[in-house]
């Protein structure tokens, strides 16, 4: 088929909005949906409920908040012309019950926006493991969730046992895959890397009609522990239709050795000899064990240490000079020149007197 004959959707094309002119007579039957909300959402819903009624009133849908029962109800009226708006209103109250703020939840009334509430509470058995994996989806200071929102163009809210996502259909599909993989112990960073590569590839018009498998990374699981093999392996014997041979009886053994034909006295003597031989072996082994204590251990060969060479070159002339200087100087005595000067000074003082 020629590419020119195929229908192509131009970039930025949108389906025209459903207006009053498309269904001037309205709906025949009234439809309604209700949902419960937790106690901690009561204060927020009470505050923002006038805005919810205003947003749904533009589409002629009534909304009621029952604080006693803890439920929200949306109902169509005779003036409602859009048959699908009640489904969007139902999704709106579901998102509000799952802690999504009104500013984001009201976007569900737009035609190109959808929502998906993913239940993750029953995917992991242990509570501690579930909390760890849910925290992994959020990331440090919410960085992983923020990266996922930027790549999928969706608003994501992790609350309790559910993950609420709001955005385009293509983004919701990716969000669901990442959330389920995270609960299956696959780190979200792997899926985020794949989404980043896909985002760059989608910008190239030549690659749109080609397969992207060669560009996408393939991650291998490295933390799988190999199963420990048992020390004793039970190997199955080959199957044979014949039964195993019958084991020999005591009489058969005696016939084979010739003991069967011996007299009772001879048998008794043979038994006594066997017992004595066993006793002799036991005595011999016991004696060997006792003698082990008297066997001297093997001495290690004496290793002769090499004497450090004491021969050093001695400078004889330098030693002679040191000895001469030592003879000239006496411990605690003044040098010869200073003594002469002192004597001269004493003579001058005597002459003056």
């Amino acid at each position: 088929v020629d590419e020119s004959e195929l229908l192509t959707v131009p970039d930025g094309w949108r389906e025209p909005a459903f207006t009053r002119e498309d269904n001037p007579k309205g709906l025949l039957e009234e439809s309604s949906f209700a949902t419960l909300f937790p106690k901690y959402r009561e204060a927020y819903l009470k505050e923002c409920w006038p805005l919810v009624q205003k947003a749904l009133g533009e589409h002629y849908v009534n909304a009621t908040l029952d604080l006693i029962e803890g439920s929200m109800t949306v109902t169509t009226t005779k003036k409602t012309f859009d048959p699908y708006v009640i489904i969007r209103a139902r999704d709106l109250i579901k998102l509000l019950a799952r802690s999504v703020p009104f500013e984001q939840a009201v976007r569900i009334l737009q035609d190109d926006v959808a929502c998906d509430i993913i239940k993750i509470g029953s995917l992991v058995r242990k509570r501690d493991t579930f909390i760890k994996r849910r925290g992994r989806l959020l990331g440090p200071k919410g960085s992983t969730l923020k990266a996922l929102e930027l790549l999928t163009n969706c608003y994501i809210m992790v609350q309790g046992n559910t993950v609420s996502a709001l955005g385009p259909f293509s983004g919701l599909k990716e969000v669901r895959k990442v959330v389920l993989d995270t609960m299956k112990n696959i780190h979200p960073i792997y899926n985020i890397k794949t989404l980043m590569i896909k985002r760059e590839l989608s910008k190239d018009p030549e690659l749109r009609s080609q397969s992207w498998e060669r560009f996408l990374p393939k991650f291998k699981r490295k933390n799988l522990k190999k199963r420990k093999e048992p020390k004793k392996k039970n190997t199955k014997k080959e199957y044979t239709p014949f039964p195993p041979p019958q084991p020999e009886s005591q009489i058969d053994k005696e016939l084979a050795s010739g003991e069967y034909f011996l007299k009772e006295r001879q048998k008794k003597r043979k038994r006594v000899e066997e017992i004595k031989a066993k006793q002799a072996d036991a005595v011999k082994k016991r004696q060997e064990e006792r003698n082990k204590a008297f066997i001297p251990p093997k001495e290690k060969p004496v290793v002769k240490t090499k004497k450090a060479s004491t021969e050093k070159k001695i400078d004889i002339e330098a030693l002679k000079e040191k000895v001469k200087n030592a003879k000239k100087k006496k411990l605690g005595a003044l040098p010869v020149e200073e003594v002469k000067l002192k004597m001269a000074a004493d003579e001058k003082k005597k002459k003056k007197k």
Side-chain angles (χ1 to χ4, degrees):
V1 181
D2 295 334
E3 288 185 4
S4 59
E5 293 179 11
L6 295 170
L7 289 170
T8 55
V9 180
D11 292 335
W13 181 84
R14 282 189 177 187
E15 193 175 342
F18 195 86
T19 58
R20 186 87 185 179
E21 294 171 2
D22 296 320
N23 186 16
K25 292 183 180 179
L27 304 175
L28 291 171
E29 294 290 334
E30 287 186 2
S31 302
S32 65
F33 288 101
T35 186
L36 298 171
F37 60 86
K39 185 74 175 174
Y40 61 84
R41 291 291 289 168
E42 187 177 314
Y44 180 78
L45 290 171
K46 197 175 179 182
E47 188 181 340
C48 72
W49 197 249
L51 298 169
V52 175
Q53 286 179 324
K54 187 182 177 183
L56 292 173
E58 293 173 4
H59 299 274
Y60 303 103
V61 176
N62 288 335
T64 54
L65 177 68
D66 190 350
L67 296 173
I68 297 165
E69 193 182 338
S71 66
M72 294 178 281
T73 312
V74 286
T75 316
T76 58
T77 59
K78 290 181 180 180
K79 291 183 179 180
T80 309
F81 60 88
D82 188 356
Y84 196 71
V85 76
I86 188 63
I87 303 296
R88 296 190 182 281
R90 178 201 65 183
D91 292 341
L92 172 65
I93 58 173
K94 272 188 179 180
L95 291 169
L96 289 170
R98 295 313 311 149
S99 297
V100 177
F102 171 75
E103 292 78 13
Q104 292 290 340
V106 78
R107 287 171 53 211
I108 195 68
L109 298 174
Q110 299 172 15
D111 287 337
D112 57 345
V113 178
C115 76
D116 189 9
I117 295 170
I118 307 154
K119 293 179 181 178
I120 57 173
S122 59
L123 296 176
V124 184
R125 286 184 182 179
K126 291 183 180 178
R127 185 69 183 169
D128 295 341
T129 313
F130 168 73
I131 291 163
K132 281 180 185 177
R133 290 182 188 175
R134 187 179 63 182
R136 197 182 293 166
L137 187 65
L138 292 166
K141 296 180 181 178
S143 57
T144 307
L145 197 69
K146 190 67 180 173
L148 201 60
E149 284 181 350
L150 291 168
L151 289 166
T152 56
N153 296 323
C154 293
Y155 174 80
I156 304 164
M157 183 71 186
V158 181
Q159 177 70 19
N161 293 331
T162 58
V163 177
S164 307
L166 186 76
F169 291 98
S170 58
L172 292 175
K173 189 179 176 183
E174 296 293 343
V175 170
R176 179 170 273 272
K177 184 180 178 297
V178 173
V179 170
L180 294 177
D181 283 353
T182 306
M183 288 295 121
K184 290 175 186 174
N185 203 20
I186 298 168
H187 204 281
I189 194 67
Y190 299 124
N191 286 311
I192 287 168
K193 281 183 180 178
T194 308
L195 288 171
M196 286 170 75
I197 293 163
K198 282 182 180 178
R199 192 179 189 181
E200 293 299 318
L201 291 170
S202 63
K203 292 176 184 178
D204 194 345
E206 292 179 3
L207 293 168
R208 282 186 180 181
S209 58
Q210 295 179 15
S211 177
W212 292 350
E213 285 293 324
R214 55 201 171 120
F215 301 109
L216 298 176
K218 292 176 183 177
F219 301 106
K220 291 179 182 178
R221 301 183 87 179
K222 294 180 182 178
N223 60 345
L224 285 174
K225 291 181 181 178
K226 290 183 179 178
R227 185 176 169 270
K228 289 182 180 179
E229 293 182 357
K231 289 181 180 179
K232 292 180 182 179
K233 291 184 179 179
N234 296 326
T235 53
K236 286 187 177 181
K237 296 177 182 178
E238 291 183 6
Y239 173 74
T240 52
F242 305 106
Q246 194 173 0
E248 290 184 345
S249 65
Q250 189 67 27
I251 296 166
D252 292 335
K253 289 175 183 177
E254 287 178 0
L255 285 167
S257 62
E259 192 181 344
Y260 183 77
F261 302 103
L262 295 173
K263 291 178 182 179
E264 192 64 34
R265 283 167 61 193
Q266 291 173 330
K267 286 180 183 178
K268 197 173 183 180
R269 193 187 305 152
K270 193 178 181 182
R271 269 187 242 115
V272 170
E273 285 174 2
E274 284 176 1
I275 290 163
K276 282 181 179 179
K278 282 181 183 178
Q279 285 175 351
D281 289 339
V283 169
K284 193 179 179 182
K285 284 180 183 177
R286 209 179 300 120
Q287 197 66 35
E288 285 175 1
E289 288 290 330
R290 285 175 182 173
N291 292 337
K292 276 182 184 178
F294 301 102
I295 297 167
K298 289 182 180 180
E299 293 182 1
K300 291 180 182 179
V302 179
V303 180
K304 291 181 180 180
T305 54
K306 292 179 181 179
K307 290 181 180 180
S309 59
T310 53
E311 294 177 4
K312 291 181 182 177
K313 290 181 181 180
I314 300 165
D315 195 352
I316 296 164
E317 292 179 0
L319 279 170
K320 284 180 179 178
E321 285 181 7
K322 280 184 180 179
V323 170
K324 282 179 183 179
N325 292 332
K327 283 180 178 179
K328 287 177 183 178
K329 291 180 180 180
K330 289 181 181 178
L331 288 169
L334 294 167
V336 179
E337 293 176 359
E338 286 184 11
V339 170
K340 286 178 180 179
L341 289 168
K342 199 173 184 183
M343 287 171 73
D346 290 340
E347 284 176 3
K348 282 181 181 179
K349 284 180 181 178
K350 284 177 182 179
K351 286 177 181 179
K352 285 179 180 179
K353 286 178 181 180

